[in-house]
Amino acid sequence: MLLDDLIDSAQSDELLDEFAKREIRRAILAAVAIPGYQVPFGSREMPVARGWGSGGLQITLAVVHDDDVVKVIDQGDDDGVNAVNLRRLVTTSTGADQTSIAAEASVIQSRHRIPEDGLDEESILVLQVPVPEPLRGVERDMRELARMHAEADYSRMWVSLYEDKVRNGVITQTTGYPCLVNDRYVVATTPIPRWDIPRLHESPFLTLFGAGREKRIYAIPPRTKVEPLTFEDVPFEVEHADGATCSLCKSNAAFLVSLPNSDVWMCSDTDWCRRTREASA
Amino acid sequence: MGYVSARGGLDAIRAAERLVRRLRLTSESSWLEEDQILEKLRLLVDRVMGEAGLWAPRLAAKALRQSEGDATEAVHLLRAYRSTLPRFAYSESADADDVKVERRIVPAFQRVPGNQLLGRSVDYTARFLERQSDDMAREEAEKLRSEASGTPGDEGGEAHDNTDTTQRSPQRLLEMLREMDLVVDRRRADDPEPFDITRTPARPPAARSALLSSMTRADTGALVNQWYRNILGPDGYLHEVTLGEVRHGALDVVVRHPVTGLPVCVTSVRVTEVEAIEDLEGVDEDRTKFDVGYGLCFGHNERKAIAMANLDIACHRDAGRTQLEQSLLLTTDALDSAGFLEHLKLPHYVTFRSMIERKFAMRKARNRDAS
Amino acid sequence: MTNDVEYGRYPVARLAVPEWMLKVERLGRVYGPYDDTVIASTGPEIGSSKSAVNGAVVAAWDVSFEVAAGEALGLVGESGSGKTTVLRCLAGDVAPSCGEARLRTTEGDVSMFDLDSSARRRLRIDTLAVVYQDPAEGLKMNISAGGNIAEPLTAAGWRNFGKIRDRASELLTRTEVPINRMDDLVRSFSGGMKQRVQIAKALANSPSVVLFDEPTTGLDASVAAGVLDLIRSLLEEHRIAAIVVSHDFSVIEMLTSRCLVMQHGRVVENALTDQLLEDPHHPYTQRLVAAARA
């Protein structure tokens, strides 16, 4: 490479150099080949801070072309400040088009949610992961964690679920529910709500998980078995509130969030809510 | 494509950005020149370059100006900029003995070959807050300049008081201790490529080069805290450490020319280097000898280099008994820790909703059991 | 059927075991570099397991025995004699320096020391269990009694909460732990009760071999007697091959039918337990027996 190229590259809108993108694509391929395995990669520093979607952003930049259409959401909301910030970084640096409609998007970068609908064989879902290690709660030593994954030794995870149920009457794990992928690796499902977990199972779309700070990429390829860890006789429970419906679209078929200390509920997937309202209008 | 903005998130961001720029750019005082930052805030520039892992004084000055003096933010700007550039060469191995020493302290002996060289240091300067007027400061500056006339200053914005600089590399105390057979010899015969922490995440158990690279880029405060914790913390103990060398000076960086293949000096970096000699008293250690830890970082940052050297030997002696190595590799990076801390400011209403739902589920289960 | 075998200079009676479950041959564990000279510089005749040649410690050397299903073998000796080292090598906690240990499983004989750490760990789940002197080694203190038992069960693939609860309560009932304490943290249990939970956990997957390391040392005499009674009846009930390590002849007498006496890392005597107590041959054994009888 010549010095002139370097200078060109430095003055472009690129957030990542081409070698880095290639390296990330290789990590993604490895992740797809071994579903649920956390592939280490040389995570680069991004214009957004660690913990703010730097891993998801690197994946998105590595897979997006200028003919892609991207959707970026935070908490299900296309217009959340973090979603807006990441979307403008992606679109200005790649030239990709943007949409809020999941079905129109080829790449969807998300923090904490899977869109309620619209993902198909053509979609890539990129999830931002703050803590990729599902076993951190039962083991802190990374050498031991590596061994546990290598030997699929997840009994302590099961014991923690057992203890939870004994102590609290229910499994209290809230978001990021641990799942067994392809009968082999236990993964942290980022903090997506339990509501979204069933949609990872045998999904038509590819899900890529990016943890920039912890420098890990993992994947759930299309049509892969994804089971939330739970006992045969303790049903997996998704979020639910009796009688709750969205105050805007009147639906109860989506993940709802509420105002503090009130019975006013709203869809967290704002675009789904908008389309539901438009359809019924 | 369909994009419907619901509530003006972009407008809010733009307004925030305008406020940032307005406060930075429209204050009454004159434009802060890069040279001023390079010359008047030298140690801050050094620290930012060290934590960024990038020797680029002018860029560091720009970053500090842009971040309004927030060192961690400046490190972020430098590293994110670095991410946009390809890596097109690796430097040749540099020999620390080639450092042109500007300061050298050997606390382990009173007199040493090559002498003690105090150089620029505030170690023995009484910490009085100077309250002289600007005029008095200018007057003093004039006087100092005339005293030092005839001594060439540094170029490229890296001004240094080179009055006392002796350009030489004195024999290391460590070499003399080795000649006395007082040091455990851990030098290896092979010469493995150093671990590149920017390309492969370092995880325990890691190569020593990975540990050293992590520490040399670490947040200075974090590293000092790790060192102190290793002494006074819940699993710490007092290490019997004597510093063998504390050095600061300039070191040439050489790369092979891509066409001719000949070595070419591309820049000179200033580094701080420390060797920490630790007494051995462990049951499985050779009590008749010392062992040594090594620290080296960009710029003049003795606090960091000393902490690094001490932690290098502490980690070797720990040999995986505690999770010191994991702490050093994973918890000392300025951007990792600060970014994750600050991400708590991001919206978390989806996760919080899920938590509240479980609280009610637990109560329901409890009531069911009670009835 | 008995036949006589030369063990060192002392003729010892040896029960021919028709169907061994665990067979140990020439097990050795040395800390530090060693050769024949180093080995020869240690042992009962020298009076030390630490070599004067190079300071290496021959913690155990040339230890061989067999244990059959339904049989309990004792390893007796003072602290530092090497008995716990032998147990830890078999448990997989310590790597042996030499020797072989073969375990009979449903899938054929397994040479334990040839297994990688992952396979060793799997063996510990359902085939070979250990009851440690210190309950903190065998149990997680901040987990309930039931949860501690759930660990080997889930490791063996149990995925039904109700069935795990049933199995845990069955085991706790059998080991005489009050069932209303099943959901209490083990940390809150008394020493004897912790030991009972540890035994319950060890039995969770019906192992064919159980190693007991000083299972009652540190317990009050009356509590220890209760735990010993429990272990004895469990050994009678299940066709377990057991190894009991103890410095205490009363424990060995109560639980085992045969035992090896160890001193300075070597086996000095190998006999039927009652014979050994009646008629100890080796002077060291005589001293131990005399001390126990005093």
Side-chain angles (χ1 to χ4, degrees):
Chain A
M1 176 165 289
L2 296 170
L3 207 58
D4 282 347
D5 298 332
L6 275 178
I7 292 161
D8 283 351
S9 153
Q11 288 171 344
S12 76
D13 290 329
E14 292 285 329
L15 309 179
L16 270 179
D17 82 276
E18 285 303 321
F19 294 109
K21 289 184 192 171
R22 228 180 277 171
E23 184 192 318
I24 291 161
R25 285 194 285 266
R26 276 198 295 271
I28 291 170
L29 287 175
V32 169
I34 317 169
Y37 175 71
Q38 300 170 45
V39 180
F41 79 111
S43 177
R44 307 300 203 271
E45 281 81 6
M46 292 281 94
V48 300
R50 297 290 202 214
W52 295 62
S54 69
L57 181 58
Q58 287 178 77
I59 290 180
T60 299
L61 293 173
V63 300
V64 161
H65 295 270
D66 55 9
D67 56 353
D68 270 305
V69 181
V70 295
K71 172 181 167 73
V72 182
I73 50 173
D74 190 313
Q75 317 287 297
D77 185 358
D78 296 84
D79 208 40
V81 277
N82 194 47
V84 169
N85 186 36
L86 288 168
R87 180 168 47 244
R88 70 178 175 163
L89 282 173
V90 171
T91 52
T92 52
S93 71
T94 63
D97 218 337
Q98 57 178 292
T99 182
S100 62
I101 299 165
E104 290 178 357
S106 50
V107 177
I108 297 164
Q109 177 166 341
S110 168
R111 176 166 168 266
H112 297 186
R113 278 308 312 275
I114 298 176
E116 300 288 351
D117 69 349
L119 277 77
D120 58 23
E121 286 79 1
E122 305 293 314
S123 319
I124 297 177
L125 175 66
V126 179
L127 287 170
Q128 301 170 204
V129 183
V131 179
E133 180 48 70
L135 309 177
R136 184 59 56 80
V138 296
E139 176 59 53
R140 297 200 174 89
D141 189 324
M142 301 189 83
R143 295 163 294 191
E144 177 67 2
L145 286 167
R147 184 202 64 75
M148 289 163 80
H149 281 297
E151 297 180 10
D153 177 3
Y154 296 125
S155 64
R156 283 164 62 194
M157 198 71 185
W158 285 101
V159 170
S160 80
L161 294 171
Y162 169 92
E163 291 285 286
D164 196 8
K165 170 85 176 129
V166 163
R167 224 171 284 163
N168 304 303
V170 292
I171 308 277
T172 62
Q173 175 83 38
T174 57
T175 48
Y177 200 94
C179 290
L180 185 66
V181 174
N182 199 29
D183 291 319
R184 179 58 183 84
Y185 286 100
V186 169
V187 301
T189 49
T190 88
I192 56 170
R194 280 159 284 134
W195 177 273
D196 289 340
I197 296 286
R199 261 177 299 153
L200 288 173
H201 177 59
E202 298 287 351
S203 72
F205 53 90
L206 166 66
T207 308
L208 299 173
F209 299 80
R213 184 179 54 84
E214 299 227 20
K215 305 169 181 67
R216 292 280 189 274
I217 289 172
Y218 54 104
I220 299 175
R223 312 287 171 207
T224 301
K225 188 172 166 192
V226 177
E227 296 170 288
L229 294 189
T230 189
F231 297 103
E232 295 157 0
D233 49 343
V234 179
F236 174 72
E237 294 173 350
V238 301
E239 290 82 354
H240 172 76
D242 287 336
T245 55
C246 175
S247 59
L248 300 173
C249 72
K250 314 300 176 202
S251 171
N252 64 358
F255 181 77
L256 299 173
V257 292
S258 71
L259 299 180
N261 202 16
S262 86
D263 277 331
V264 179
W265 296 87
M266 282 167 302
C267 293
S268 101
D269 184 339
T270 52
D271 195 70
W272 187 87
C273 187
R274 177 185 63 79
R275 283 182 283 114
T276 307
R277 270 177 282 146
E278 284 171 5
S280 62
Chain B
M1 287 292 160
Y3 179 72
V4 180
S5 176
R7 277 172 292 106
L10 188 57
D11 294 342
I13 292 177
R14 285 188 176 139
E17 283 176 347
R18 267 197 306 280
L19 270 177
V20 167
R21 300 187 78 81
R22 187 186 301 164
L23 286 168
R24 190 203 306 149
L25 299 173
T26 65
S27 54
E28 288 302 313
S29 59
S30 58
W31 174 244
L32 183 55
E33 302 289 342
E34 277 163 35
D35 283 346
Q36 268 188 298
I37 299 169
L38 286 169
E39 293 173 10
K40 306 291 189 203
L41 300 175
R42 291 182 307 111
L43 298 179
L44 183 58
V45 172
D46 280 4
R47 179 173 170 167
V48 164
M49 290 193 294
E51 293 176 10
L54 187 70
W55 182 268
R58 288 215 166 262
L59 292 178
K62 282 183 205 290
L64 272 166
R65 182 171 56 199
Q66 184 181 333
S67 71
E68 299 176 82
D70 181 337
T72 303
E73 182 71 12
V75 169
H76 190 172
L77 293 169
L78 281 181
R79 288 226 205 135
Y81 173 68
R82 180 68 189 80
S83 294
T84 66
L85 304 176
R87 173 184 291 181
F88 74 112
Y90 289 83
S91 70
E92 296 294 292
S93 299
D95 187 342
D97 280 338
D98 293 339
V99 170
K100 295 183 200 74
V101 170
E102 294 172 20
R103 166 167 159 78
R104 187 243 187 163
I105 304 294
V106 184
F109 285 91
Q110 186 188 21
R111 288 160 194 275
V112 283
N115 286 331
Q116 312 270 10
L117 174 63
L118 194 56
R120 182 267 167 207
S121 174
V122 295
D123 287 350
Y124 304 101
T125 305
R127 266 57 167 228
F128 294 127
L129 182 65
E130 293 179 5
R131 286 166 295 172
Q132 80 224 70
S133 67
D134 290 358
D135 285 343
M136 283 162 73
R138 272 190 281 274
E139 205 172 296
E140 188 186 348
E142 220 29 70
K143 202 170 126 221
L144 288 169
R145 249 180 233 119
S146 62
E147 276 176 20
S149 62
T151 315
D154 246 358
E155 283 163 24
E158 291 189 56
H160 272 280
D161 183 355
N162 281 352
T163 318
D164 296 315
T165 299
T166 31
Q167 299 208 334
R168 62 192 162 163
S169 193
Q171 189 190 11
R172 281 163 195 279
L173 177 70
L174 181 60
E175 276 167 37
M176 292 174 257
L177 294 178
R178 279 192 175 130
E179 283 162 17
M180 294 159 78
D181 192 25
L182 276 171
V183 182
V184 177
D185 197 350
R186 291 197 277 123
R187 287 172 292 185
R188 43 196 298 178
D190 58 344
D191 183 20
E193 282 299 308
F195 190 99
D196 185 350
I197 57 166
T198 69
R199 292 298 178 268
T200 312
R203 297 287 182 266
R208 187 182 179 199
S209 57
L211 184 74
L212 292 174
S213 310
S214 300
M215 288 197 285
T216 203
R217 287 211 319 174
D219 180 81
T220 305
L223 211 59
V224 170
N225 171 260
Q226 287 281 339
W227 172 81
Y228 202 43
R229 193 203 137 111
N230 195 237
I231 286 172
L232 270 186
D235 48 7
Y237 67 98
L238 199 61
H239 297 253
E240 284 294 337
V241 172
T242 310
L243 296 184
E245 298 274 349
V246 180
R247 295 175 171 211
H248 173 237
L251 182 62
D252 286 348
V253 176
V254 174
V255 297
R256 293 245 162 224
H257 191 283
V259 179
T260 65
L262 295 172
V264 185
C265 174
V266 288
T267 189
S268 171
V269 299
R270 278 180 300 100
V271 294
T272 307
E273 187 192 24
V274 169
E275 284 168 350
I277 297 160
E278 181 151 7
D279 195 8
L280 298 176
E281 86 285 17
V283 284
D284 49 353
E285 292 175 322
D286 186 349
R287 191 78 175 83
T288 67
K289 290 190 177 174
F290 298 107
D291 206 338
V292 63
Y294 188 74
L296 181 119
C297 64
F298 276 154
H300 197 182
N301 191 345
E302 292 177 8
R303 222 173 276 146
K304 184 181 203 172
I306 295 169
M308 179 175 167
N310 277 262
L311 287 164
D312 172 43
I313 181 62
C315 197
H316 170 73
R317 296 184 66 202
D318 181 71
R321 272 187 283 269
T322 74
Q323 284 149 35
L324 176 61
E325 183 188 23
Q326 182 173 334
S327 274
L328 293 172
L329 290 175
L330 282 123
T331 71
T332 58
D333 187 80
L335 298 192
D336 287 355
S337 52
F340 197 42
L341 177 87
E342 294 201 44
H343 107 284
L344 296 173
K345 294 181 286 186
L346 283 171
H348 278 87
Y349 58 83
V350 163
T351 49
F352 201 65
R353 153 74 189 130
S354 186
M355 286 180 204
I356 290 176
E357 190 268 351
R358 282 291 93 178
K359 300 280 176 224
F360 286 117
M362 272 181 261
R363 285 185 199 177
K364 211 166 158 184
R366 223 164 265 174
N367 293 339
R368 197 173 50 225
D369 289 349
S371 61
Chain C
M1 190 180 88
T2 63
N3 56 349
D4 286 293
V5 178
E6 284 287 316
Y7 267 78
R9 289 185 292 121
Y10 301 94
V12 291
R14 185 185 187 200
L15 190 69
V17 184
E19 195 57 46
W20 57 263
M21 184 63 74
L22 175 67
K23 180 175 180 150
V24 176
E25 285 178 300
R26 309 188 79 82
L27 170 64
R29 168 71 219 199
V30 184
Y31 293 91
Y34 68 96
D35 55 17
D36 289 349
T37 320
V38 171
I39 298 299
S41 67
T42 66
E45 288 83 3
I46 312 292
S48 174
S49 55
K50 181 170 176 156
S51 168
V53 176
N54 68 347
V57 175
V58 182
W61 190 255
D62 198 20
V63 179
S64 303
F65 57 82
E66 296 174 0
V67 202
E71 189 199 21
L73 174 84
L75 278 180
V76 69
E78 291 165 308
S79 60
S81 62
K83 57 192 191 308
T84 293
T85 298
V86 171
L87 179 133
R88 287 190 176 270
C89 286
L90 297 175
D93 299 336
V94 166
S97 304
C98 59
E100 199 183 6
R102 287 201 290 157
L103 185 68
R104 197 147 279 173
T105 73
T106 46
E107 288 123 49
D109 292 357
V110 173
S111 184
M112 293 204 296
F113 299 157
D114 295 338
L115 299 177
D116 61 25
S117 61
S118 161
R120 277 311 289 270
R121 207 175 295 272
R122 279 200 294 279
L123 216 54
R124 282 284 296 270
I125 292 167
D126 55 8
T127 309
L128 184 144
V130 186
V131 175
Y132 292 97
Q133 175 181 346
D134 179 4
E137 252 190 282
L139 297 173
K140 300 227 160 51
M141 290 295 142
N142 287 328
I143 287 178
S144 69
N148 269 285
I149 296 169
E151 188 176 337
L153 293 176
T154 55
W158 291 51
R159 294 290 180 264
N160 186 293
F161 184 74
K163 285 181 184 160
I164 291 170
R165 300 277 297 165
D166 290 347
R167 175 69 175 152
S169 62
E170 175 193 337
L171 287 159
L172 291 171
T173 304
R174 182 61 197 89
T175 52
E176 292 154 19
V177 176
I179 210 66
N180 64 358
R181 301 214 53 195
M182 176 160 140
D183 297 336
D184 294 349
L185 299 187
V186 170
R187 191 180 46 190
S188 69
F189 286 36
S190 69
M193 206 65 85
K194 282 177 186 152
Q195 218 48 321
R196 289 170 186 276
V197 175
Q198 205 192 166
I199 292 166
K201 178 185 175 184
L203 297 176
N205 290 317
S206 307
S208 50
V209 177
V210 181
L211 313 178
F212 294 90
D213 186 12
E214 304 271 10
T216 55
T217 305
L219 300 180
D220 292 343
S222 60
V223 174
V227 173
L228 283 177
D229 267 338
L230 170 68
I231 296 175
R232 186 165 67 171
S233 56
L234 286 170
L235 292 179
E236 280 166 8
E237 260 167 57
H238 306 276
R239 297 253 318 143
I240 291 170
I243 295 176
V244 181
V245 164
S246 181
H247 68 286
D248 184 348
F249 254 113
S250 65
V251 172
I252 296 295
E253 184 177 15
M254 185 152 176
L255 297 181
T256 72
S257 53
R258 267 188 321 125
C259 72
L260 310 185
V261 182
M262 290 191 71
Q263 187 192 19
H264 299 305
R266 306 297 208 283
V267 175
V268 294
E269 193 158 355
N270 175 348
L272 295 171
T273 305
D274 45 7
Q275 272 180 19
L276 194 92
L277 286 161
E278 286 296 313
D279 181 22
H281 285 175
H282 192 280
Y284 176 68
T285 317
Q286 290 165 357
R287 268 208 331 272
L288 283 182
V289 171
R293 289 284 178 258

